[in-house]
Amino acid sequence: MTVGGADLLDEARAWLAEDPDPETRAELAALIENNDVDALADRFSGPLEFGTAGLRGALGPGPNRMNRVVVTRAAAGLAAYLKARDGKAVVIGYDARRKSDVFAADSAAVFAGAGLRALVLPHPVPTPVLAFAIRYLGVDAGVMVTASHNPPQDNGYKVYLGDGCQIVPPADVEISAEIAAVGPLATVPRGSEWDTLSDDVLEAYLDRAASVVSPSSPRDISVVYTPLHGVGMDVLVAAFRRAGFPAPYVVAEQAQPDPDFPTVSFPNPEEPGAIDLAVAAASETDADLVIANDPDADRCAVAVPTPEGWRMLRGDEVGWLLGYHLIRRGVAEGTFATTIVSSSLLSKMARDHGLGYAETLTGFKWLSRVKGLRYAYEEALGYCVDPAGVCDKDGITAALLVAELAATLKAEDRDLGDLLDEIEDRYGVHATGQLSPRFTDLARIDAALELLRAEPPAELGGRKVLTIEDLADGVGDLPPTDGVRLWLEDGARVIVRPSGTEPKLKCYLEIALPPGGGSPRLLREHADNSLAMLKRDLGAVLGLP
């Protein structure tokens, strides 16, 4: 069997000879000794793709895994890219996943060896702290070693440039070419002189974070918080204290960083069961609010009490609430932005208040580049409430703004549910949902998209399909991307695309009902029923169980 034109075992032995990590060396040596062709083929099936999210994948030996060889080559390629553009300095952050500190140290050594100034944050931090540090320190790039909310076996390597934004084309392609040009690991120079920063950067971040809330707004709010075994707790608690809020009650079982994420099946607050411990604590303590961060604290989830029990708000609902709160607080200029897979309600809110509005492809790598950006969100629990401070999603500042909004409403004898009623009464009911099947056979994802392109349905959920757009062709001002968008009668919409970070097909659905058609409760029931029919029919078209 051959991979890339080389004998598989020979390629594995060559990798083994230059791998500096005893753990991955031992794993690879065992696979070679046992002649485990299938496992070797998986690890050597090709390099991890360096894209707009940098690198992300399972830990292990070989070019198709995250390991010290892959990270060293990535750092050397990034260093070459920066030096060709007269770059001088890079700041590096890392979370508490397996090997994150090792990958950060390897990167610092490679950057130093290339003649760049390498600045390493002093301990595991949330991703937004690294994004803040780039512009605060005035460096040319930033690297965050994290796999965000991926499974425990994964890690990743996220790259930002000096504007504090994640890389987009053509930078990703150009960096990838530099990585491909890196020679044997022994030829990559490594230095020992890099700077480990003090906590001054974190202190500056906390000062900036506290400034997102008004000094005169109410602070009486009881919050239960979980960092989901990630790195958010110390920073969020410090941010609440600095902003003048009572300290949140932290879920003890999930408080400390743990790369095994032992209390959850999947470390993503969107996943069923992930915030059950927080909800139980909130019920016991009669809290006003539950807030959860994902493991690198760039996302923020919110749950609220209802007469039927605690309910986690959808990402779109939190996005509407934060946007409406900023408007109520007096935001009078700038652009509100969201992605094409998020709800259309924000566009109506911005237009109603004379604000600019923009839609981008999925991801803050695109949202952060919107001209005149004042506020942005994506339905996957990502919110940018202070783009002048952190031009990326930030689960810490989003949590502060949610706490301020909830405290303000509490002082008015109202809650977040009441404000959602007000928003829907004004802009209509917008029901959004997802189908996100996970595949072991990645070919099925491509096949499902090709089926939609070749044989689009005439009707979904009792609504005629009016238009189908192949996003790979580029639509409007959007750059080409793999995906399909279907417009249905009465403003309904479906978007289907492959996930950029997981082996999933992501299907985003929206039913939009205009205001004035009845009570919000009855309209929600109608919209939810329509959404369920849409999900059912789309699943049948895609051949999902």
Side-chain angles (χ1 to χ4, degrees), residues 18 20 56 58 97 125 173 212 226 261 304 313 347 353 429 470 515:
E18 68 172 3
R56 194 175 293 185
R97 284 179 177 263
V125 294
V173 176
V212 304
T226 174
F261 306 107
V304 296
L313 300 181
S347 66
H353 293 275
V429 169
D470 189 345

Side-chain angles (χ1 to χ4, degrees), residues 121 123 125 129 198-207 235 242:
L121 292 169
H123 46 71
V125 294
V129 175
S198 70
D199 269 332
D200 288 351
V201 172
L202 178 58
E203 291 298 314
Y205 169 82
L206 288 169
D207 285 343
V235 178
R242 194 156 303 193

